[in-house]
Amino acid sequence: MSGHSKWANIKNKKAKTDSQKAVVFQKYSRELIVAARLGGADPAGNFRLRTAIEKAKAAGLPNDNIKRAIDKGAGAGAADNYEELTYEGYAAGGVAVVLEAMTDNRNRTAGDVRSIFTKFNGNLGETNCVSWMFDRKGSIEFENTVDFDKLFEAAINLDADDVTEEEDCYKVLTSVENFQSVVEGLEAEGFKSTTAELTRIPQNTIEITDVKTATSVMRLIERLEELDDVQNVYANCDIPDEIADQVEV
C-alpha cells in the first residue's frame, strides 16, 4: 500500500503541469466518449459517465469539450470506435507495470508501448503476467477536513473494505462490485469526494534504492503516461523521496 501511495505522491507533484497538456485532455475526452457510448448521455443514469465528468472538470477540461465528447459518444457525431485494452510487463529492477489503454488502432498502440518498454530497460509481457500482483479496488478520496470518525463509520456501514488516512486526504477503499453503492451512499450521508475511481493496488511493493534503476522506472512510466492511447499506468515500485528527487524524468 505504501508503494502505491508513494508513486501517487510522485505523480501528484507533476499533475499541475500535466493537466495543461493536450494529451491529458484527450484522455479525459476518450473516457467521456466511451462512457456515453456504453451507458448513454445522462449522467444521472450512467455512473461511469458521472465520474468521468467529475474527473474531467477537476482536470480543467472545458465544459464545451465535455459536452462535445458526450454527444460524440452518444451518437450525435461520428464517434471513434475506441476499444479498451490492458498491457502488462516489467520495468527495470523487476518492477511490475500494468497500463490501461483506449485505442482505435491496437497495432499502433502495441507498437508504441513495446518501444517504450524496450527503450527504458523493460519488457512487455503476456496477458496476466503481472496483473495478478494487483488488486482491483474502488478508491474514493476526501479532504482531510471532514470528520474521520463519521466517515469511517459511514463507509464501513456501506460495506467499504477500508478507510485510511493519507498525507493530505482520507481514502475509502471498496471492492469493484461495491464501488458505486459506496460512492452514492457516502454522498447521501453528506460526504462529497474529491476523486472517485477504479484503480489497481499492488499486493506487495519493490523498493528502489539506486538512482539508475529509479530513473529507468520513472522515465518508462512517464513516457507511457504521455502516450495518447494510454489512460492509466500502475506500478508496484516504492521509490523513496530522496531517490526520486534525484531523477530527471
Side-chain angles (χ1 to χ4, degrees):
M1 189 70 68
S2 62
H4 174 76
S5 298
K6 180 76 72 175
W7 181 247
N9 291 338
I10 292 170
K11 291 199 296 183
N12 286 339
K13 290 178 181 179
K14 65 184 184 62
K16 186 173 183 180
T17 300
D18 281 357
S19 68
Q20 300 170 359
K21 297 180 180 178
V23 65
V24 174
F25 284 179
Q26 177 66 15
K27 294 177 192 292
Y28 287 112
S29 294
R30 290 190 184 192
E31 172 61 20
L32 290 164
I33 290 170
V34 172
R37 189 182 71 204
L38 295 177
D42 182 6
N46 183 344
F47 180 74
R48 178 171 175 175
L49 178 60
R50 180 158 67 88
T51 56
I53 291 172
E54 290 174 354
K55 290 174 66 176
K57 287 183 175 180
L61 192 66
N63 289 333
D64 287 347
N65 295 49
I66 293 173
K67 184 178 186 303
R68 279 197 298 270
I70 294 172
D71 289 345
K72 193 173 185 180
D80 298 302
N81 188 27
Y82 293 120
E83 58 179 323
E84 298 178 277
L85 301 172
T86 302
Y87 297 92
E88 308 172 34
Y90 287 95
V95 171
V97 179
V98 178
L99 60 106
E100 298 166 345
M102 286 185 186
T103 180
D104 56 0
N105 186 330
R106 62 164 57 204
N107 291 331
R108 178 196 66 222
T109 304
D112 290 344
V113 170
R114 187 179 302 278
S115 175
I116 291 174
F117 269 92
T118 301
K119 182 176 181 179
F120 295 102
N121 303 315
N123 292 287
L124 184 63
E126 300 296 327
T127 301
N128 297 324
C129 68
V130 300
S131 60
W132 59 271
M133 301 180 188
F134 296 77
D135 293 325
R136 288 284 280 161
K137 292 286 186 180
S139 176
I140 315 162
E141 294 187 3
F142 299 86
E143 293 182 352
N144 56 12
T145 54
V146 306
D147 188 310
F148 179 82
D149 291 336
K150 290 182 178 178
L151 175 65
F152 183 91
E153 182 180 3
I156 297 304
N157 287 339
L158 290 165
D159 292 328
D161 292 347
D162 196 10
V163 185
T164 62
E165 185 173 357
E166 307 294 326
E167 289 184 7
D168 56 357
C169 70
Y170 298 139
K171 183 180 295 184
V172 176
L173 297 176
T174 77
S175 65
V176 174
E177 295 76 16
N178 288 346
F179 176 56
Q180 180 175 348
S181 63
V182 174
V183 172
E184 294 177 342
L186 289 175
E187 286 179 352
E189 292 287 335
F191 296 101
K192 176 61 177 176
S193 63
T194 55
T195 62
E197 61 187 355
L198 293 175
T199 188
R200 298 175 189 262
I201 298 177
Q203 298 167 1
N204 297 288
T205 58
I206 295 176
E207 185 175 14
I208 306 299
T209 57
D210 66 282
V211 175
K212 181 179 179 180
T213 302
T215 299
S216 293
V217 172
M218 292 177 64
R219 285 181 177 175
L220 181 145
I221 294 174
E222 177 82 1
R223 299 306 182 271
L224 288 174
E225 289 182 330
E226 289 175 350
L227 288 178
D228 287 352
D229 297 335
V230 173
Q231 297 295 109
N232 299 296
V233 181
Y234 307 96
N236 69 341
C237 55
D238 185 348
I239 304 177
D241 289 341
E242 62 270 21
I243 299 297
D245 289 342
Q246 298 179 57
V247 174
E248 292 290 336
V249 294

